[in-house]
Every structure is written in structure tokens, then in C-alpha cells.
Amino acid sequence: MQGIDNREHRNLLDVFYKYEQMSGIDKNKSNVISEEDSKIQKDMEELTLLYENFKFLLAELKKCAKDYELKKKSTRSILHKRIRILVTKLQKINVDV
């Protein structure tokens, strides 16, 4: 699974904030917001939302994997214990296992 690079996302946000600062200075002089500026802002909002969703789902996935590992160890332990008991019982009654 390919993840989203946290550093890359932060760098993109830094570039966007720098762009906003620069375009804010330009807008004070021209009072014009271009379609491209609006699209960039909308796209960055969507990227940030997707990034936050990714981080949430990644945390859920890690929790699920941890819960799975704990349950697997517990189940394996019980299973092996029961197998040892059954092997002993079957050996007592001379059944090959």
C-alpha cells in the first residue's frame, strides 16, 4: 500500500501559504481574483481534506492490525493448549495422531 508522504504534504502547504501571501499583495494592488486562484484554493482545501481522511483511516488500520495481532496470539495460545490436551488423551487410548 502506498501512503501519503507527510513531509511532501507539509511542503505543498508551505508553498500554498507562500503563494497566498504573494497573491494577497498582488490583489491589494489589482483587486482581481482569478479563476486559477479560486481553483488553487479549492484544490488545496480538497487535498487537505483527503489528507486528513487518509490520516484517520491509517490510524484505524493500525488499530485494526494491532487488535488482530492480539486476537491471533490469544487464539493461537488457546488452540495449541487444546491440541496438547487432545494429543495426550488420544495417546492414552492408543490412537495415532
Side-chain angles (χ1 to χ4, degrees):
M1 179 181 90
Q2 184 177 357
I4 297 173
D5 188 313
N6 186 31
R7 187 179 328 144
E8 186 178 320
H9 182 71
R10 284 194 320 259
N11 289 343
L12 184 59
L13 282 175
D14 290 343
V15 169
F16 173 68
Y17 295 142
K18 182 80 170 179
Y19 170 79
E20 277 191 325
Q21 288 176 341
M22 290 168 44
S23 65
I25 294 169
D26 184 49
K27 286 175 193 167
N28 288 336
K29 293 181 181 179
S30 65
N31 292 327
V32 176
I33 299 175
S34 73
E35 282 185 38
E36 287 182 337
D37 288 343
S38 296
K39 179 166 177 29
I40 290 169
Q41 188 165 14
K42 182 182 175 219
D43 288 351
M44 283 306 297
E45 288 171 3
E46 290 175 7
L47 276 174
T48 301
L49 182 63
L50 288 168
Y51 179 74
E52 293 301 321
N53 192 29
F54 169 76
K55 294 303 273 184
F56 171 76
L57 292 172
L58 184 60
E60 287 291 311
L61 181 60
K62 286 179 180 178
K63 181 185 177 305
C64 181
K66 180 182 174 186
D67 292 348
Y68 175 86
E69 288 300 319
L70 290 172
K71 181 58 77 176
K72 179 179 77 173
K73 287 177 184 177
S74 171
T75 302
R76 184 181 288 154
S77 174
I78 294 167
L79 183 61
H80 287 293
K81 180 181 176 184
R82 291 297 301 155
I83 288 172
R84 285 191 304 272
I85 291 170
L86 287 172
V87 165
T88 304
K89 283 182 180 180
L90 292 174
Q91 285 175 343
K92 285 182 182 178
I93 59 172
N94 291 325
V95 174
D96 289 330
V97 193

